[in-house]
Amino acid sequence: MRQLSIYASRSSALAARRLAPSAIAGATVVGSSRLATKGALTTAPITTRGGVAAQVAAAGLARCYSTEAPAEKHEFKAETKKLLHIVAHSLYSQREVFVRELISNSSDALEKLRHLQATSQDVSTDAPLEVSISVDKKAKTITFCDTGIGMTADELKDNLGTIARSGSKAYIEKMQDGADTKDMANTIVGQFGVGFYSAFMVGDKITVYTRSATPGSAGYCWESDGLGSYTLSKAEDVPVGTKIVISVKDDAKEFLEEGKLQEVIKKYSNFVGFPISVNGEKVNTVEALWTKDKKSITDEDHENFYQFVSGAWDKPMYNLVYKADGPISIRSILYVPTRSPEAMGFERVKPGVSLYSRKVLIMPNAPGLLPEWLRFIQGVVDSEDLPLNLSRELLQNGPVIMRLKSIITSRIIKWLQSESKRDAEKYDEFYKVFASFIKEGTCQDTTNQKEISKLLRFETSSKEAGKLISLDEYVEGMPSEQEHIYYFCTPNRKVGTESPYYAPFKQHGTEVLFLHHTLDEFVMGRLQEFRGKRLVSVDSKEANSILEKWNKAAQAESPEGATTALTTEQANELTAWLLTNMGPSVKEVKVAERFMTYPAIVTDFESPAVRRMMKMMAGDSEMPMQMSPCNVEINPRDPVIAGLYELKSKDEELAQKIAQQLFDNALIAAGILDDPRSMLKRLNEILAKAVV
């Protein structure tokens, strides 16, 4: 008879009740399969936590599991060494996920036992349902122990002896045959049967001790070095459950650090529904809030959970608990932060929502779960319908993922719309912080563009500075005869209200939206219309045709300080002279057919936003960017224009400088003069003439 020298570990509650060898749960092997005298005690030091109860549990750590018969050697069924090598060394992108995989297996085992207990089936254990992990640096071992359903010899051969054969998947299929057990089946994590072998990424040998919860079952020891075979033998004094002992490789010693294991557990398995402890200290202390009824979640719960998942210290501005069972199972909890993660020029952040399946992390900061513009949203989405790949790390592209993305995105948009109606003032505060994200979505998310546009907010000429309205509010306030929505992109409100392009709309009493953000021109260009109303910029060519309708009535009133208008002949003479003297950037000069308070304006010019983008793309190029030729419209009733007509025949040199200055002034008003400093010399010469 040969024995394995071990440390036994178990929960404090169980230890307080039992100290018999057969009741010791979670023993930990401190070495490889060395022979030991039956009942021999180990001499390695024991560290305990948790007070008296934990010390009582420690008293049983010297007990040994023993094997009564020679170990039988088995080859892995219908598998090759190459396949096992791929599973252990190439399937996963990060070695730390072995912790997630083994805890998920333990969680499944515990869930299966809980199901048996809940259905009044006879089981030979009443141990607390938990996962305990212990580390022995001296022996270089990590032990995962659960008090779950355990395995029989045949189940060991089937589940561990055959790669990619999932006992959990078979269990789910069996449970789902009964309608009353379908919900419980949904809590099982395992699907593929390869997670156990991830332990070979960090270990050169794995030893498993297990005993089935079925009454009368024997205990067994399974052992393998991952090279294509395993041994199986009976073992004494094995409690119900499963204990996995990993002999850690030299290049994986980082996982012998207690802090490292706790970090990985909190990352991947923090929300597993059973207690998880490392060397006696409970790790998963945060509850899976998205599984609770939203009415039972307090503001404090939301604040604590938000700070946990986001790593931030502010409070959430909004929260959403969303659940759906069809067409896809979804359990989610989402938050809007108080501050923008990209404020003050910070770099583009990763998506803030992580993807879980049955409370186990599948993908942190999942990049494909939500569209890019919603990257400021923080939280968790959990779905048991995810089409995962074999490693449970990556999503397989397909209709399920696209459908999940569509459902969650639509729900977030409706959520924000609802919040804007429930408390408009609070929503305005949200919008001031996250406006750039909403505008980015309007430009990029063509699928949801119509609904996203309802979230936009702008200043308007009809309200005081700082007050925002939606496009819906603008349309609802339009006179019945108004056909379009008018907007004006300007650096600030003052520039907008004093602009010659806004003047005729102000004169006519027409509301104009003032847009001050860099993205606004692109937003309007992509949106083009809202609720069947065209979006028209007041400085656009399209606006000219509208202004012509208002021209006759507007021209009947002379602007304050205006002189008698030039005659048609004088106006034609002046426009011809201006075309010659304003420079090559002017392709046409004509008399304006709109209400004007400025001497001249430019029309049919390139977009200021597009021009700024072209300059950015040009980078540090020293070549000046050529301006596309534009049209100039003059106001024949303005005193400057009337005076210029007289001056060109008296002092043509000064008149030429004034003509060029009028053109530059018009470019500034249009926002397309690259560098106003270029006109300072000429402006000073004009001033010198005026005061001499």
Side-chain angles (χ1 to χ4, degrees):
M1 180 180 297
R2 61 192 179 88
Q3 294 183 326
L4 299 173
S5 175
I6 52 88
Y7 283 125
S9 63
R10 63 179 179 178
S11 70
S12 301
L14 183 61
R17 294 198 306 269
R18 303 179 182 178
L19 288 177
S22 60
I24 298 174
T28 305
V29 176
V30 297
S32 57
S33 301
R34 300 171 182 170
L35 296 179
T37 303
K38 184 174 182 179
L41 304 182
T42 60
T43 59
I46 297 172
T47 302
T48 63
R49 300 181 185 178
V52 176
Q55 294 175 19
V56 173
L61 293 178
R63 296 292 183 179
C64 301
Y65 298 161
S66 63
T67 55
E68 296 181 329
E72 300 175 358
K73 186 175 182 179
H74 301 266
E75 296 294 326
F76 287 111
K77 294 180 181 180
E79 310 296 342
T80 66
K81 294 179 181 179
K82 182 177 179 180
L83 177 58
L84 216 167
H85 182 82
I86 291 173
V87 171
H89 299 27
S90 305
L91 184 62
Y92 298 92
S93 61
Q94 299 183 56
R95 293 203 298 182
E96 65 182 22
V97 299
F98 85 94
V99 178
R100 177 194 70 186
E101 295 300 305
L102 296 185
I103 290 177
S104 296
N105 289 347
S106 293
S107 175
D108 287 352
L110 292 164
E111 193 62 55
K112 294 171 187 177
L113 180 61
R114 182 158 64 182
H115 168 63
L116 292 179
Q117 294 172 335
T119 54
S120 301
Q121 298 187 41
D122 190 18
V123 293
S124 59
T125 181
D126 60 352
L129 302 180
E130 60 188 4
V131 181
S132 58
I133 302 170
S134 58
V135 177
D136 188 329
K137 291 185 179 180
K138 185 175 180 180
K140 296 195 300 185
T141 60
I142 306 173
T143 299
F144 290 75
C145 179
D146 67 69
T147 55
I149 197 169
M151 289 178 280
T152 64
D154 288 340
E155 288 170 338
L156 274 171
K157 294 175 184 178
D158 289 340
N159 297 340
L160 302 189
T162 304
I163 301 176
R165 196 264 186 197
S166 171
S168 289
K169 186 173 183 179
Y171 190 81
I172 291 173
E173 293 170 351
K174 181 179 178 181
M175 290 174 68
Q176 287 181 331
D177 291 339
D180 59 331
T181 58
K182 285 184 178 180
D183 291 340
M184 193 166 291
N186 291 337
T187 63
I188 302 296
V189 178
Q191 298 182 53
F192 304 112
V194 298
F196 168 78
Y197 296 95
S198 65
F200 283 112
M201 291 190 293
V202 298
D204 49 25
K205 186 181 69 174
I206 300 176
T207 305
V208 179
Y209 294 92
T210 186
R211 181 162 73 90
S212 173
T214 304
S217 296
Y220 291 92
C221 173
W222 181 101
E223 191 170 81
S224 176
D225 58 6
L227 298 179
S229 65
Y230 63 93
T231 61
L232 181 63
S233 59
K234 282 190 175 182
E236 290 184 344
D237 300 335
V238 179
V240 171
T242 301
K243 175 169 64 72
I244 301 170
V245 184
I246 304 172
S247 297
V248 178
K249 299 175 182 178
D250 288 338
D251 65 351
K253 289 182 179 179
E254 62 179 306
F255 296 105
L256 291 173
E257 298 295 330
E258 187 176 325
K260 176 64 175 179
L261 283 177
Q262 291 178 343
E263 176 188 335
V264 176
I265 292 168
K266 288 180 179 179
K267 178 179 179 181
Y268 291 102
S269 307
N270 194 78
F271 303 113
V272 167
F274 300 96
I276 303 171
S277 62
V278 176
N279 285 357
E281 182 178 353
K282 187 176 179 182
V283 179
N284 57 334
T285 57
V286 180
E287 189 176 4
L289 215 58
W290 65 90
T291 63
K292 298 180 65 176
D293 182 86
K294 64 180 180 181
K295 294 181 180 178
S296 68
I297 304 174
T298 66
D299 291 341
E300 184 179 0
D301 291 335
H302 277 302
E303 181 179 341
N304 292 335
F305 190 82
Y306 160 74
Q307 291 177 350
F308 176 82
V309 297
S310 68
W313 294 102
D314 59 331
K315 296 181 180 181
M317 185 179 297
Y318 295 127
N319 64 74
L320 170 68
V321 179
Y322 173 62
K323 299 180 181 180
D325 293 313
I328 299 174
S329 172
I330 300 172
R331 300 291 183 270
S332 64
I333 187 165
L334 304 170
Y335 297 97
V336 172
T338 302
R339 302 180 182 89
S340 169
E342 296 178 8
M344 300 178 66
F346 291 143
E347 63 182 9
R348 191 180 186 91
V349 297
K350 295 180 180 178
V353 178
S354 295
L355 187 60
Y356 286 71
S357 182
R358 298 181 174 92
K359 297 189 287 187
V360 175
L361 179 65
I362 301 301
M363 187 179 295
N365 308 111
L369 183 58
L370 293 175
E372 272 289 301
W373 67 275
L374 285 175
R375 61 189 178 276
F376 67 93
I377 298 290
Q378 301 287 330
V380 166
V381 172
D382 190 320
S383 177
E384 62 196 41
D385 297 327
L386 297 177
L388 307 177
N389 68 358
L390 199 60
S391 68
R392 257 197 301 198
E393 290 182 300
L394 303 173
L395 298 175
Q396 296 174 344
N397 292 327
V400 174
I401 297 303
M402 297 304 295
R403 184 63 177 150
L404 179 63
K405 179 178 181 179
S406 175
I407 292 172
I408 296 294
T409 301
S410 296
R411 186 63 187 88
I412 291 174
I413 294 172
K414 290 180 180 178
W415 166 39
L416 294 176
Q417 289 176 350
S418 175
E419 293 291 351
S420 72
K421 295 174 182 177
R422 189 173 64 88
D423 188 338
E425 188 173 330
K426 182 178 179 181
Y427 180 81
D428 285 350
E429 292 302 314
F430 155 81
Y431 188 79
K432 289 174 183 177
V433 177
F434 297 99
S436 59
F437 295 94
I438 304 300
K439 293 170 183 179
E440 180 183 333
T442 306
C443 291
Q444 296 182 353
D445 192 347
T446 55
T447 301
N448 299 293
Q449 185 184 74
K450 181 178 178 181
E451 293 302 316
I452 299 172
S453 65
K454 297 178 182 178
L455 299 173
L456 294 169
R457 296 292 185 273
F458 304 105
E459 281 196 42
T460 173
S461 60
S462 64
K463 294 185 179 295
E464 61 187 79
K467 295 293 184 180
L468 305 178
I469 69 167
S470 66
L471 292 176
D472 272 318
E473 290 175 295
Y474 183 100
V475 171
E476 290 165 5
M478 288 172 53
S480 57
E481 67 275 8
Q482 185 174 328
E483 299 178 357
H484 308 299
I485 298 172
Y486 299 104
Y487 69 91
F488 190 19
C489 295
T490 105
N492 54 63
R493 186 183 183 93
K494 186 174 186 297
V495 171
T497 55
E498 295 177 357
S499 170
Y501 300 101
Y502 169 65
F505 291 88
K506 180 181 179 181
Q507 178 74 11
H508 192 262
T510 300
E511 184 178 13
V512 174
L513 299 174
F514 291 129
L515 284 54
H516 308 314
H517 196 278
T518 308
L519 292 174
D520 286 337
E521 191 166 351
F522 295 103
V523 170
M524 293 304 184
R526 294 300 297 269
L527 194 56
Q528 294 189 346
E529 65 91 24
F530 181 83
R531 286 176 54 175
K533 305 291 185 180
R534 287 276 299 166
L535 296 166
V536 177
S537 175
V538 298
D539 59 358
S540 68
K541 188 175 182 179
E542 188 174 356
N544 288 341
S545 59
I546 299 160
L547 295 177
E548 289 177 1
K549 298 178 181 179
W550 304 344
N551 183 53
K552 290 183 180 180
Q555 290 296 333
E557 299 180 14
S558 297
E560 197 175 316
T563 60
T564 305
L566 298 176
T567 64
T568 302
E569 293 77 9
Q570 290 173 331
N572 291 338
E573 180 184 343
L574 181 60
T575 55
W577 181 85
L578 287 171
L579 181 61
T580 303
N581 289 276
M582 278 187 165
S585 295
V586 178
K587 60 182 179 181
E588 182 182 5
V589 180
K590 63 180 182 179
V591 174
E593 297 181 359
R594 66 168 77 196
F595 173 76
M596 285 180 62
T597 56
Y598 274 50
I601 61 170
V602 292
T603 61
D604 197 19
F605 52 88
E606 63 185 341
S607 162
V610 171
R611 185 166 181 82
R612 286 193 297 270
M613 181 175 291
M614 291 175 62
K615 288 182 66 177
M616 290 176 60
M617 293 173 63
D620 297 330
S621 174
E622 296 181 0
M623 292 292 293
M625 184 177 295
Q626 296 298 318
M627 181 181 296
S628 300
C630 53
N631 297 333
V632 175
E633 294 187 7
I634 63 170
N635 177 9
R637 303 181 67 86
D638 190 271
V640 175
I641 295 299
L644 182 60
Y645 175 78
E646 299 293 337
L647 184 63
K648 69 180 179 63
S649 58
K650 298 176 181 178
D651 189 342
E652 187 170 12
E653 181 182 356
L654 178 58
Q656 288 175 341
K657 291 178 180 179
I658 292 176
Q660 293 166 3
Q661 187 62 46
L662 283 174
F663 181 56
D664 279 353
N665 290 352
L667 294 178
I668 292 174
I672 56 175
L673 184 64
D674 293 333
D675 189 354
R677 292 174 296 183
S678 61
M679 68 179 187
L680 289 178
K681 183 176 181 295
R682 179 201 319 124
L683 185 57
N684 286 330
E685 291 173 351
I686 295 173
L687 291 174
K689 283 276 189 179
V691 298
V692 171

